[in-house]
């Protein structure tokens, strides 16, 4: 009911390496912060699976590691989670799925968050990126507490077909 610019996807008991991703969502001009934009993200657990919790009724497709944020007046967003794992027995790099919902517009997906140090991220992946919303490839660094920190800024409408 009430969305904030920060959210936690993973509980403190969730297995995995802690990670914080933040950034700013900008208007189409790439300079003006976009307030009131909803960002929905979801990703796999440490086993590479989208598992719902026992109490979840609507988590079958996206699992329990998911959440919504609404940018503040400065266009900021932040989510605390764990570093996702790649799908089991597949060769796709680990990633986080993002969907944007602007006021008075239909939702649309942007390029997945992917991590430049992921050994499964190939040159072909990089060349095939559509840069929807801007590049989804982010650099992660560990802070003094051992938490992965990453930043991704997003530009509304960038490389989105039929964006108006």
């Amino acid at each position: 009911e009430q969305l904030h610019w920060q959210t936690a996807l993973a509980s403190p008991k969730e297995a995995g390496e802690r990670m914080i991703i933040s950034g700013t969502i900008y208007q189409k001009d790439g300079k003006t912060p976009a307030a009131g934009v909803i960002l929905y993200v979801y990703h796999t657990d440490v086993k590479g699976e989208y598992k719902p919790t026992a109490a979840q009724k609507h988590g079958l497709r996206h699992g329990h590691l998911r959440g919504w944020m609404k940018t503040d007046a400065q266009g900021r967003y932040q989510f605390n989670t764990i570093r996702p794992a790649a799908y089991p027995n597949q060769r796709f790099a680990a990633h986080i799925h993002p969907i944007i919902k602007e006021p008075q517009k239909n939702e649309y997906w942007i390029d997945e968050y992917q991590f430049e140090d992921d050994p499964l991220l190939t040159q072909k992946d990089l060349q095939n990126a559509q840069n929807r919303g801007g590049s989804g490839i982010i650099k992660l660094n560990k802070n003094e507490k051992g938490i992965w920190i990453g930043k991704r800024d997003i530009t509304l409408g960038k490389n989105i077909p039929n964006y108006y």
Side-chain angles (χ1 to χ4, degrees), residues 6 31 46 50 52 56 68 75 86 97 111 120 123 150 154 164:
Q6 297 173 300
K31 298 175 186 172
V46 293
Y50 297 104
Q56 268 184 312
W68 295 260
H97 298 278
D111 278 13
L120 294 176
Q123 275 303 118
I154 297 166
Y164 52 91

Side-chain angles (χ1 to χ4, degrees), residues 3-157:
L3 295 178
H4 300 281
W5 70 275
Q6 297 173 300
T7 195
L9 300 152
S11 78
K13 294 181 181 181
E14 184 76 31
E17 294 183 274
R18 299 288 145 198
M19 181 174 70
I20 299 172
I21 304 292
S22 63
T24 302
I25 298 181
Y26 293 101
Q27 297 288 346
K28 192 171 181 175
D29 65 10
K31 298 175 186 172
T32 308
V37 174
I38 296 172
L39 173 62
Y40 170 65
V41 294
Y42 65 98
H43 65 81
T44 60
D45 61 17
V46 293
K47 295 180 181 177
E49 299 172 342
Y50 297 104
K51 287 230 172 156
T53 64
Q56 268 184 312
K57 296 178 183 177
H58 303 292
L60 296 178
R61 185 169 181 196
H62 295 173
H64 69 283
L65 295 170
R66 60 188 173 132
W68 295 260
M69 294 140 281
K70 189 174 191 178
T71 57
D72 66 4
Q74 292 82 42
R76 296 180 302 170
Y77 74 90
Q78 178 177 296
F79 57 95
N80 300 359
T81 190
I82 59 158
R83 190 164 177 170
Y87 298 146
N89 304 316
Q90 295 190 28
R91 302 286 306 159
F92 298 113
H95 55 277
I96 299 172
H97 298 278
I99 297 172
I100 294 285
K101 174 64 177 99
E102 297 180 55
Q104 285 80 50
K105 292 188 188 281
N106 289 334
E107 68 276 357
Y108 56 89
W109 60 270
I110 59 174
D111 278 13
E112 297 164 339
Y113 292 75
Q114 294 181 303
F115 315 107
E116 72 175 18
D117 66 345
D118 189 323
L120 294 176
L121 187 64
T122 66
Q123 275 303 118
K124 186 176 179 181
D125 293 330
L126 297 172
Q127 292 167 350
N128 289 337
Q130 296 178 35
N131 291 320
R132 291 174 64 113
S135 175
I137 309 300
I138 61 174
K139 181 177 183 166
L140 293 175
N141 291 297
K142 276 196 176 178
N143 69 10
E144 64 282 351
K145 295 179 181 178
I147 299 170
W148 290 107
I149 304 294
K151 182 176 189 281
R152 179 187 184 183
D153 292 338
I154 297 166
T155 302
L156 297 174

